[in-house]
Amino acid sequence: MKFTKMHGLGNDYIYVNCFSEKLPYEPKKLSPIISDRHFGVGGDGMILICPSDVADAKMQMFNADGSESGMCGNGIRCVAKYLYDFGIVPKNELTIESGGKVLTLQLTIENGKMTLARVDMGEPVLVPDHVPTLLRSLDGYPEHAVVDVPLTVAGKVFAVSAVSMGNPHCVTFVEELTDDQVLGFGPKIETDSAFPQRVNVEFVKIISPTELRMRVWERGSGETLACGTGACAVAVAGVLSGRSERRVQIELLGGRLGIEWSEADNHVLMTGPATTVFTGDWQP
């Protein structure tokens, strides 16, 4: 099975072109095997690039533990780069189906290759039952956004905000970013009963109203160098809590993303790079 290793700011996945390739196993079985960093290719998971009836292509994402996720912001930029660079969809604007939605991407092309993509990530989901989370807003109304709501995990209280960008996120703002928080409490928050489908966890430090720094614990993968949907959720939570402006730069371990939450149409726009590392032929 031919594959391509790609990353968006270090958030690395194994990409399989299902226009031409057939998987040797079902995806949920294959992803943990091929994603293993010691015995496989190595990555945060596996992403399938498939034909679509409603868009230029369809993206299916599987985490390193085999669980399926509806969206990956860094991954969708890499899918766009694959489609353009390999001549499958040689257009500067293209559409990709993921998680039941169709997203539009504007590509920056240099020397015949895509270097940057601006992704319209759509509207954030803030209604608790749709995130989903069992947490409720401080005023108690079940339809109101969860912003800075106390969550006690392993004896520590976090003020958290819940946002879905096609997958669920729990955002907490902290004074400093530490291993104790991310590696110690990240997996505990991921599996807390307040999040019935588990959750991605973002720890965020405010540098200024237009610059944020974050680390992320991703459900099914652990800490990753970047998370595009997580950065979008952080930007939304920053605006809702009055900590940041609608257009921000977010620094992740793997680099920077530009995020804008448009007041005009409520859509979140994400701009960032995508990189091809190598291609290969994997034999099960």
Side-chain angles (χ1 to χ4, degrees), residues 2-213:
K2 289 181 171 52
F3 70 88
T4 300
K5 177 76 174 286
M6 307 180 78
H7 75 84
L9 300 181
N11 192 197
D12 58 338
Y13 290 89
I14 299 109
Y15 293 79
V16 181
N17 177 6
C18 293
F19 284 84
S20 59
E21 298 294 318
K22 291 187 177 180
L23 304 184
Y25 312 127
E26 64 177 19
K28 292 184 178 181
K29 178 182 178 182
L30 177 59
S31 186
I33 298 171
I34 199 170
S35 299
D36 190 287
R37 294 191 184 276
H38 299 286
F39 297 102
V41 176
D44 292 326
M46 178 181 71
I47 290 178
L48 308 181
I49 305 171
C50 308
S52 170
D53 294 329
V54 295
D56 292 314
K58 180 179 180 180
M59 166 180 139
Q60 284 186 278
M61 173 195 170
F62 296 86
N63 296 309
D65 67 353
S67 59
E68 187 171 2
S69 183
M71 173 52 64
C72 176
N74 292 314
I76 200 167
R77 297 197 313 275
C78 289
V79 170
K81 179 174 177 63
Y82 189 102
L83 292 169
Y84 186 90
D85 288 5
F86 287 94
I88 299 172
V89 186
K91 301 190 300 185
N92 288 23
E93 178 177 308
L94 51 81
T95 56
I96 297 174
E97 178 188 359
S98 181
K101 298 194 300 183
V102 175
L103 281 73
T104 301
L105 298 89
Q106 305 284 343
L107 311 187
T108 299
I109 309 301
E110 297 179 7
N111 299 318
K113 302 291 184 181
M114 191 208 95
T115 55
L116 286 173
R118 188 187 196 206
V119 189
D120 185 340
M121 298 290 288
E123 298 184 65
V125 175
L126 301 173
V127 176
D129 286 349
H130 297 166
V131 172
T133 179
L134 302 181
L135 297 174
R136 290 296 179 263
S137 62
L138 293 176
D139 58 19
Y141 291 99
E143 71 276 12
H144 286 191
V146 171
V147 180
D148 283 347
V149 171
L151 174 67
T152 302
V153 177
K156 184 175 176 64
V157 180
F158 294 90
V160 304
S161 301
V163 181
S164 173
M165 291 300 308
N167 51 4
H169 293 273
C170 175
V171 179
T172 183
F173 294 91
V174 296
E175 292 297 320
E176 295 295 336
L177 300 172
T178 67
D179 287 347
D180 286 345
Q181 291 169 339
V182 181
L183 306 181
F185 288 97
K188 294 181 174 64
I189 297 174
E190 176 198 355
T191 57
D192 191 86
S193 59
F195 301 98
Q197 295 181 10
R198 298 189 295 165
V199 74
N200 301 285
V201 190
E202 286 79 29
F203 299 86
V204 189
K205 178 178 180 179
I206 301 292
I207 307 302
S208 76
T210 59
E211 185 175 1
L212 315 178
R213 185 175 297 149

Side-chain angles (χ1 to χ4, degrees), residues 240-278:
L240 291 176
S241 64
R243 292 181 173 92
S244 65
E245 297 181 7
R246 285 185 170 266
R247 182 178 293 180
V248 294
Q249 290 287 315
I250 298 184
E251 180 183 343
L252 306 101
L253 292 179
R256 283 178 171 253
L257 287 173
I259 309 292
E260 179 184 355
W261 185 16
S262 172
E263 199 166 9
D265 62 5
N266 200 41
H267 284 217
V268 180
L269 304 171
M270 172 190 64
T271 303
T275 302
T276 299
V277 185
F278 59 85

